[in-house]
Amino acid sequence: MKLAALSERFYSLVSPDIPNEWDVEEVMEPFIEESDKVCEVILGHIPVIWPVSHSLCYDFLRQAPEALTHLSLEQLPRWAGVILDIYENEGLHSAQRFMQDVVKNHISKLEGSGGLALTSVEKRLLPYIRGIAREELQVVSARETYTDTATIYVPEELRLFQDNDKNFLLYKLIFTYQWGYIACGSFLHTAPEGLPLFSDKEDCLWLREFLNSFAHPPLARDIYHLLESIRVKFFLHKELPGLMRAVSKLLFPLHSPVATEGTAGVFLSRIQQGLTGDETTLHSLLRLHLTPSECQRYLDGKATAQDSARLVPKLYSTLEETDHDYIPVPPLPFQGHLKLKAVETARKVRKEKMGEHFVDLMATYLLSLSPEKLENILKDEERDSGNTGLAESDISMIMDSEFAQTAAQEKAAPLLVTINNEALELPPELDTFTRKFLDEFGQLPARFITSAAGKAGEGMLQGDIGGQEEDARQITGTVIYDEWDYRRQGYRKNWCSLQCKELPPVHSPFIRNTLDKYHGLTLRLRHQFEMMRSQERFVKRQREGDDIDFDALVESLSDTRAGLPSSDRLFIRLKRDERDIAVLFLVDMSNSTAGWVNIALKESLVLMTEAMEVLGDRYAIYGFSGMRRSRCELFHVKHLTEPYGEQVKERISSISPSEYTRMGPPIRHATRLLQEVDAKVRLIITLTDGKPEDYDDYKGDYAIEDTRHALLEAKVAGIHPFCITIDHQAHEYMEHMYGPANYIFVDNVRKLPLRMPEIYRALTS
Amino acid sequence: MKTIEQRLDEHLITVEPYYLASGNEVEIALSAHKNKLPLLLKGPTGCGKTRFMQYLAWKLRRPLITVSCHDDLSTSDLVGRYLIRSGEAVWIDGPLTLAVRAGAICYLDEIVEARKDTTVVIHPLADDRRELPVEKLGELLTAPPEFMISVSYNPGYQSVLKDLKPSTRQRFVAISFDYPHPDQEAMIVCKEGGVEKELADSLVKLAGMTRSLKESGLAEGASTRLLIQAGKLIQDGIDIQTACRVAVIEPLSDDPELLAALQEMVSSIF
Ligand SMILES: Nc1ncnc2c1ncn2[C@@H]1O[C@H](COP(=O)(O)OP(=O)(O)OP(=O)(O)O)[C@@H](O)[C@H]1O
Ligand SMILES: [Mg+2]
């Protein structure tokens, strides 16, 4: 292909973005030599990668031709999938590194049989480790094993053993061991007694600074890591003896060959071997450099992370060699690496998250105070300073408990926060949460209190305008949803933003005209739907019941008198045949519905609502449209609990063609709304005309697959999705997208108002 | 036919039930009884609510009449109804009426499962009127001071909608139950399941792990009751792994992946 043609192709694929011409030509240039087929396959990935990251997309294009010297065209999509995963989990840099070494990173993984993939054990081991850890740990595949305390990173695949049962056990051990470091408190963030403090910067991990303070940080790090690994070993022996018993039967071919050079290398690699062996070996090794009592603490499982930290300088000085550099001993698979920077970052993230939660709680609490008190807190803020925040000096957090004598008293004493000399005693929930925060992070940064005050201030203003809290359960505003990308077989995270809007009511004779037009039909529908209505009826002559059936009783008494056998069916029982159904109608408001379709849709809705009112099923109506993933729109016509009145009628009249049809987000939102509803049967009924499509890359297979996936999600949530689609003819994709028996297509739009109630009746009886 | 006294005797608890208090719940309940206040117990399944009521009834020396609520439970099931006995219509008191007449303790288990129109009959009983209208007899019973009504529910199960009405809820002294502290729970498992302390500790550890799997799709973890049952099987010679599987793991879920994960926990612990 010519460069101009290639560039043009590129622009069309990333439209409406218009990237810099030089960049495009630079990456497209090498493709001039490639065959059309190769170009097509590689460029075909642009729509997937470009929206995720432009740089990643350029890099991909730079590397792909080279990669194809090792990969077959069929393998390329998988390669791209891995790249995207790495990018999302570890960032651009890691993804670039991965791409550069196709052979090492990918081919070896694709080749050969055997090996156990993380994806095949994750479903089992993720709940396992969360149960063991009793917290929501994440698991992510990575090239190196480590944990940042929030996530455990493990290899994408294990092929250490021939036998995959053993590989499974190794995975289990890796997960558990990594959790072990967290549970044993290996990641010290404050200095143990007797060791130097470093910077007192808020978020620095003390351990990191400590280990970096040695002349050869890797040696210090490995010493500490090994000591901690010993601790974890004994901890696991006590905590999870079953696992450790099973593991001891594994003949670990895990060891890297024992280092032969350098005292440090030899000693550390032998200790490492001891980790997979029995206690006596470890003991004799430790005895080489530790005192008997120090040794014993480790073997008894009494040692702490502080002990390990204190031992580092001692071991370091005996092991350090001046004549040659320490060559790090590669860790055992389950030990993984000590990545303290990652721990530091994860801790920061956690702190911010908890901080946000604190701000929410605190703001809510402030808003619950008497207006005078709140005014006082916030007024000072304005007077004091031109800027918005409180001066830090205005805030202090006093633990009342400082005056407490005993630990018990300290627990019982409430926490006090003082803002602008206004002392506030924290309510229980906030108190508990604050203590948790203090436990973990030592102190509560004043900025959290400042932002809580700010937020409360905003809240107060809104309250003045008079936002009444009508239905707290209604999700309004903007909601973010993931979108299914079938090419990756994974979600694009937080991809679509759905705005919930009101349809402006319009006065129009539409409803009345419709009712007139279908007068006969409405009457018939009413009658039909009345028959379906839930019934309460008395059933007579029951063996047991709420009341005596006097007719039966009299009969039975007379029978007895007459010497006949008498019946024991003498009761009346109230029987309920309840219809416990909630339906949500989702109406396509895309541009293509302009004209007859729109009118038919609305007419159908009018007839449906009439029928629904007779029937008594709960129902909601929403319209949807929008343009691009950044602005999907959902229009409220009728909430589930809202009565059918003028307003609803006016909003039905106001349903009109708007923009595009991105079906995933509205379906996901409908699912979410219905999930909160308690009903025996929950239905989403979608009314559309044709394929889902949006202005951006939401078209074709992509759109069909995302819609299909959104419908599957609804099913998983116990909701029945059903689609009514208006089209001239049935298409193949329909059955695939909706699932057989989950849709119906109506070819003559004028018939829709007739068909729809019929369909509903068939569906729910 | 049994007399009222006979019917009540069956409900009197004469042997002290084993109950290990985890806080001041016993004092609170005794004080509620003294002050003629109704009791609401909330908490997950199998955490000792029923046992607590038995203990309380024993302590107060009152009969304990328990009704398990379900959505077919009608007002007559609680208050009473006519039955035909040898050709005659005879009125039979329901459990609630019986309890009121005898000054017993009436315990409505899983109250939210009952229909709302059923639960309203307890309203006048649960406030300071302490009255029970028996419409079919044309009687209005007033509860004697010893009478107590107590209800339980499990906030974990219910959807947002299937909640107690505030007008029902706000009549009660509410005591929140949770699984006991691990040490205490192990003691209970020792005692009730008849197993060694060490094994009890491990069972409790297992339960703790299953209780933190909400996000993974396990709404409620293993209860104390399940641990006791596992303990009993083990005592009887069933091997530990099997006992844990059938008595702790399998009852929790039907999801194969989750079951496999739970099984991994068992094989790690024991
Ligand atoms: N604090 C406790 N003291 C003694 N035994 C207890 C205690 N807690 C639980 N148990 C034991 O657990 C078993 C289950 O408790 P119980 O039947 O009281 O649960 P529950 O809370 O009523 O559950 P559900 O809500 O399912 O009815 C009891 O039989 C008892 O053996
Ligand atoms: Mg019970």
Side-chain angles (χ1 to χ4, degrees):
Chain A
M1 262 200 245
K2 288 267 164 46
L3 185 58
L6 283 164
S7 301
E8 199 178 312
R9 180 96 181 92
F10 187 96
Y11 280 112
S12 76
L13 287 170
V14 301
S15 145
D17 289 338
I18 307 176
N20 183 324
E21 210 171 308
W22 296 323
D23 289 339
V24 176
E25 288 186 356
E26 186 249 317
V27 292
M28 283 295 112
E29 169 124 34
F31 285 85
I32 298 175
E33 285 117 60
E34 300 290 346
S35 74
D36 284 3
K37 175 105 204 286
V38 168
C39 289
E40 233 6 81
V41 172
I42 296 181
L43 299 192
H45 287 87
I46 296 177
V48 192
I49 306 178
W50 180 262
V52 176
S53 155
H54 301 186
S55 323
L56 184 70
C57 188
Y58 285 139
D59 284 328
F60 172 81
L61 294 172
R62 284 185 197 111
Q63 297 291 340
E66 155 86 15
L68 278 181
T69 56
H70 305 289
L71 297 172
S72 68
L73 272 182
E74 288 70 42
Q75 286 173 321
L76 197 73
R78 167 110 173 86
W79 188 62
V82 177
I83 292 170
L84 281 166
D85 281 346
I86 296 185
Y87 174 80
E88 280 178 0
N89 295 324
E90 298 172 47
L92 182 61
H93 204 65
S94 302
Q96 284 168 335
R97 267 206 317 257
F98 174 83
M99 282 190 265
Q100 275 157 15
D101 208 340
V102 193
V103 182
K104 187 165 136 237
N105 290 329
H106 199 68
I107 308 288
S108 56
K109 283 179 191 152
L110 291 176
E111 273 170 359
S113 59
L116 185 63
L118 176 63
T119 46
S120 65
V121 301
E122 210 170 15
K123 285 223 181 73
R124 192 153 154 197
L125 287 183
L126 187 61
Y128 161 77
I129 196 65
R130 288 181 173 175
I132 297 277
R134 300 177 199 205
E135 64 174 312
E136 294 296 320
L137 289 176
Q138 302 295 330
V139 170
V140 166
S141 70
R143 260 151 306 120
E144 291 182 329
T145 296
Y146 67 99
T147 178
D148 64 7
T149 70
T151 304
I152 295 177
Y153 297 84
V154 295
E156 192 188 15
E157 192 188 50
L158 289 183
R159 40 171 69 241
L160 210 83
F161 297 101
Q162 285 289 316
D163 177 359
N164 270 344
D165 286 348
K166 289 186 180 163
N167 284 325
F168 178 82
L169 190 56
L170 179 58
Y171 256 133
K172 192 172 162 186
L173 179 66
I174 295 178
F175 277 61
T176 315
Y177 226 91
Q178 291 303 309
W179 161 72
Y181 293 109
I182 305 174
C184 288
S186 293
F187 307 102
L188 288 171
H189 48 82
T190 48
E193 235 181 77
L195 288 174
L197 286 168
F198 296 91
S199 72
D200 45 354
K201 264 191 273 146
E202 198 177 300
D203 295 316
C204 277
L205 196 70
W206 174 84
L207 183 63
R208 191 164 95 91
E209 294 180 292
F210 171 64
L211 296 177
N212 283 343
S213 69
F214 289 84
H216 296 291
L219 178 58
R221 186 197 60 208
D222 286 359
I223 292 172
Y224 181 77
H225 194 199
L226 266 172
L227 288 173
E228 284 304 280
S229 300
I230 296 173
R231 239 160 48 77
V232 171
K233 176 187 160 91
F234 285 105
F235 168 75
L236 292 180
H237 268 298
K238 209 167 95 223
E239 250 341 82
L240 302 171
L243 173 68
M244 296 312 269
R245 227 179 17 253
V247 168
S248 69
K249 294 195 194 104
L250 280 183
L251 280 179
F252 270 95
L254 309 171
H255 326 260
S256 43
V258 177
T260 45
E261 261 183 78
T263 358
V266 171
F267 178 70
L268 292 180
S269 61
R270 285 182 62 199
I271 292 250
Q272 211 179 54
Q273 291 202 305
L275 281 179
T276 64
D278 57 19
E279 283 178 34
T280 34
T281 340
L282 259 182
H283 184 246
S284 51
L285 280 166
L286 286 176
R287 279 294 290 116
L288 290 176
H289 296 291
L290 301 187
T291 67
S293 73
E294 283 166 349
C295 250
Q296 207 49 50
R297 279 175 73 76
Y298 277 83
L299 298 181
D300 292 347
K302 296 223 170 72
T304 61
Q306 282 80 2
D307 290 331
S308 299
R310 277 189 285 258
L311 283 176
V312 172
K314 173 174 168 180
L315 282 169
Y316 184 90
S317 58
T318 34
L319 295 176
E320 192 190 21
E321 288 146 290
T322 37
D323 47 340
H324 55 248
D325 276 350
Y326 164 69
I327 303 160
V329 180
L332 296 172
F334 55 82
Q335 272 186 295
H337 294 260
L338 205 56
K339 298 211 176 192
L340 298 177
K341 184 71 195 162
V343 173
E344 204 173 275
T345 314
R347 201 169 120 84
K348 240 184 260 173
V349 170
R350 187 171 154 73
K351 185 171 181 178
E352 285 312 308
K353 259 202 199 133
M354 282 181 75
E356 270 168 37
H357 187 63
F358 172 85
V359 169
D360 283 345
L361 285 177
M362 185 78 189
T364 315
Y365 164 61
L366 289 177
L367 279 170
S368 75
L369 295 173
S370 69
E372 303 86 64
K373 215 168 180 175
L374 181 57
E375 198 96 329
N376 209 10
I377 291 169
L378 301 172
K379 188 176 65 210
D380 278 1
E381 178 188 352
E382 285 154 24
R383 193 197 51 209
D384 267 14
S385 48
N387 61 10
T388 39
L390 284 167
E392 306 245 323
S393 58
D394 289 336
I395 303 160
S396 61
M397 176 144 229
I398 308 169
M399 305 245 297
D400 221 19
S401 45
E402 278 174 19
F403 311 110
Q405 307 286 308
T406 64
Q409 271 178 10
E410 185 173 308
K411 262 204 169 149
L415 285 175
L416 282 183
V417 170
T418 311
I419 308 177
N420 288 329
N421 295 325
E422 194 75 63
L424 304 170
E425 187 178 308
L426 301 185
E429 193 193 352
L430 189 53
D431 185 277
T432 320
F433 187 80
T434 312
R435 278 175 206 275
K436 208 173 128 201
F437 190 97
L438 291 174
D439 263 359
E440 205 169 330
F441 299 105
Q443 55 185 6
L444 186 81
R447 66 194 151 97
F448 290 143
I449 296 179
T450 322
S451 30
K455 203 164 172 189
E458 282 167 28
M460 194 169 69
L461 288 179
Q462 272 167 15
D464 288 347
I465 298 164
Q468 58 211 133
E469 245 181 87
E470 227 182 352
D471 188 351
R473 246 176 244 138
Q474 217 64 61
I475 300 164
T476 46
T478 301
V479 199
I480 308 289
Y481 288 100
D482 296 348
E483 191 163 279
W484 181 254
D485 185 344
Y486 77 102
R487 296 164 299 198
R488 292 167 59 181
Q489 285 296 305
Y491 285 102
R492 290 169 140 180
K493 286 275 167 218
N494 301 329
W495 196 252
C496 301
S497 130
L498 180 78
Q499 293 161 15
C500 304
K501 296 186 165 173
E502 288 292 319
L503 266 183
V506 294
H507 286 287
S508 93
F510 178 79
I511 305 266
R512 177 187 301 266
N513 291 347
T514 308
L515 289 177
D516 283 349
K517 179 172 164 191
Y518 294 99
H519 184 68
L521 177 64
T522 335
L523 286 182
R524 211 168 63 234
L525 280 177
R526 277 179 166 273
H527 183 67
Q528 284 175 345
F529 276 67
E530 214 155 296
M531 305 282 287
M532 291 162 62
R533 198 155 60 180
S534 65
Q535 288 168 344
E536 262 186 24
R537 57 198 164 92
F538 286 106
V539 280
K540 297 188 127 196
R541 293 183 192 266
Q542 298 294 303
R543 279 220 170 75
E544 50 186 57
D546 307 307
D547 248 311
I548 295 179
D549 182 351
F550 275 97
D551 290 341
L553 179 61
V554 170
E555 204 182 83
S556 147
L557 287 176
S558 4
D559 283 353
T560 323
R561 285 277 161 82
L564 295 170
S566 58
S567 164
D568 56 354
R569 298 178 164 273
L570 303 173
F571 296 88
I572 296 181
R573 198 162 57 186
L574 183 64
K575 213 172 151 186
R576 284 159 212 260
D577 306 320
E578 261 173 273
R579 279 179 71 86
D580 187 7
I581 300 180
V583 210
L584 195 153
F585 293 97
L586 269 183
V587 187
D588 186 349
M589 284 172 54
S590 65
N591 204 12
S592 57
T593 60
W596 246 107
V597 177
N598 179 255
I599 295 171
L601 283 175
K602 286 198 294 196
E603 286 183 349
S604 314
L605 281 179
V606 174
L607 295 183
M608 267 320 286
T609 48
E610 290 292 318
M612 297 299 278
E613 286 303 312
V614 176
L615 192 56
D617 288 359
R618 287 171 285 164
Y619 66 102
I621 306 172
Y622 297 91
F624 68 94
S625 183
M627 182 157 137
R628 297 169 164 276
R629 65 188 178 96
S630 53
R631 187 169 53 79
C632 312
E633 291 170 331
L634 189 78
F635 298 96
H636 155 235
V637 178
K638 178 184 176 298
H639 294 311
L640 204 59
T641 49
E642 190 175 349
Y644 177 55
E646 273 318 302
Q647 290 260 318
V648 174
K649 290 182 182 170
E650 288 174 2
R651 281 193 292 260
I652 293 180
S653 313
S654 119
I655 293 179
S656 53
S658 174
E659 293 164 283
Y660 291 84
T661 331
R662 197 181 197 102
M663 284 180 67
I667 293 173
R668 291 191 173 93
H669 192 73
T671 303
R672 179 154 155 193
L673 290 174
L674 278 181
Q675 265 179 313
E676 295 179 11
V677 174
D678 184 51
K680 275 216 188 83
V681 178
R682 292 171 296 177
L683 274 168
I684 297 177
I685 299 185
T686 323
L687 285 159
T688 60
D689 70 328
K691 282 191 197 178
E693 190 174 52
D694 200 350
Y695 181 74
D696 50 20
D697 60 353
Y698 199 85
K699 11 178 110 56
D701 286 346
Y702 180 91
I704 288 173
E705 293 298 328
D706 175 58
T707 307
R708 176 181 140 85
H709 212 272
L711 293 168
L712 282 178
E713 289 160 31
K715 272 185 213 156
V716 169
I719 295 163
H720 302 279
F722 190 87
C723 302
I724 302 178
T725 172
I726 305 160
D727 214 327
H728 298 296
Q729 62 187 86
H731 292 286
E732 253 178 46
Y733 75 86
M734 288 181 183
E735 176 151 336
H736 172 68
M737 183 161 94
Y738 300 127
N742 284 329
Y743 75 101
I744 200 154
F745 96 97
V746 177
D747 57 354
N748 184 345
V749 41
R750 283 161 218 252
K751 281 195 203 141
L752 183 69
L754 297 170
R755 293 291 312 274
M756 188 144 134
E758 253 175 58
I759 293 168
Y760 185 75
R761 205 155 60 93
L763 262 179
T764 63
S765 53
Chain B
M1 202 184 113
K2 289 175 190 161
T3 61
I4 288 193
E5 286 70 33
Q6 279 170 332
R7 286 181 70 192
L8 277 175
D9 277 350
E10 291 168 11
H11 296 285
L12 203 60
I13 298 166
T14 46
V15 184
E16 174 173 357
Y18 169 65
Y19 180 75
L20 187 66
S22 57
N24 51 0
E25 67 268 27
V26 176
E27 291 156 48
I28 294 174
L30 289 175
S31 167
H33 183 259
K34 199 167 85 194
N35 290 292
K36 306 203 265 298
L37 302 174
L39 214 52
L40 166 70
L41 312 181
K42 15 180 196 179
T45 185
C47 68
K49 300 185 293 291
T50 303
R51 181 57 66 89
F52 172 73
M53 284 313 296
Q54 290 167 341
Y55 177 78
L56 187 67
W58 172 81
K59 192 120 186 144
L60 291 168
R61 291 172 214 289
R62 303 308 311 160
L64 175 68
I65 299 178
T66 304
V67 183
S68 298
C69 301
H70 50 85
D71 60 0
D72 246 4
L73 190 80
S74 66
T75 316
S76 341
D77 290 332
L78 284 177
V79 178
R81 58 160 50 96
Y82 280 107
L83 291 179
I84 303 284
R85 289 277 154 85
S86 30
E88 268 181 83
V90 186
W91 171 261
I92 300 291
D93 280 340
L96 189 60
T97 314
L98 186 66
V100 171
R101 286 195 209 275
I105 297 178
C106 187
Y107 176 47
L108 304 178
D109 209 355
E110 283 302 341
I111 180 117
V112 278
E113 290 302 328
R115 285 199 312 270
K116 300 220 157 106
D117 54 319
T118 306
T119 30
V120 286
V121 301
I122 66 167
H123 279 198
L125 254 188
D127 56 30
D128 54 9
R129 288 172 284 172
R130 289 171 62 85
E131 288 167 348
L132 177 68
V134 186
E135 275 164 34
K136 283 189 189 154
L137 293 180
E139 275 185 60
L140 181 65
L141 301 179
T142 306
E146 309 82 57
F147 170 82
M148 180 183 221
I149 185 161
S150 143
V151 304
S152 79
Y153 90 115
N154 178 344
Y157 293 151
Q158 280 76 40
S159 69
V160 253
L161 294 174
K162 209 172 176 187
D163 206 348
L164 277 183
K165 284 204 298 195
S167 61
T168 305
R169 182 188 272 278
Q170 294 199 11
R171 289 178 141 75
F172 293 88
V173 171
I175 303 180
S176 204
F177 280 71
D178 206 343
Y179 303 113
H181 184 273
D183 293 339
Q184 285 184 326
E185 190 167 17
M187 266 168 75
I188 296 170
V189 176
C190 265
K191 172 110 179 145
E192 297 275 293
V195 293
E196 296 292 305
K197 168 94 171 64
E198 202 180 331
L199 183 57
D201 279 336
S202 297
L203 285 168
V204 170
K205 192 191 290 169
L206 174 63
M209 291 175 182
T210 66
R211 288 170 195 165
S212 48
L213 287 178
K214 284 221 169 55
E215 286 288 303
S216 311
L218 196 63
E220 221 163 287
S223 64
T224 314
R225 182 184 0 250
L226 288 184
L227 302 185
I228 292 169
Q229 293 175 357
K232 286 183 175 159
L233 294 185
I234 295 169
Q235 260 328 85
D236 216 36
I238 308 277
D239 79 276
I240 298 183
Q241 300 270 341
T242 312
C244 285
R245 193 182 77 240
V246 299
V248 184
I249 302 303
E250 294 283 350
L252 291 181
S253 168
D254 296 319
D255 178 64
E257 304 282 359
L258 199 56
L259 286 177
L262 292 166
Q263 197 58 53
E264 293 301 335
M265 293 175 197
V266 173
S267 68
S268 281
I269 296 177
F270 297 99

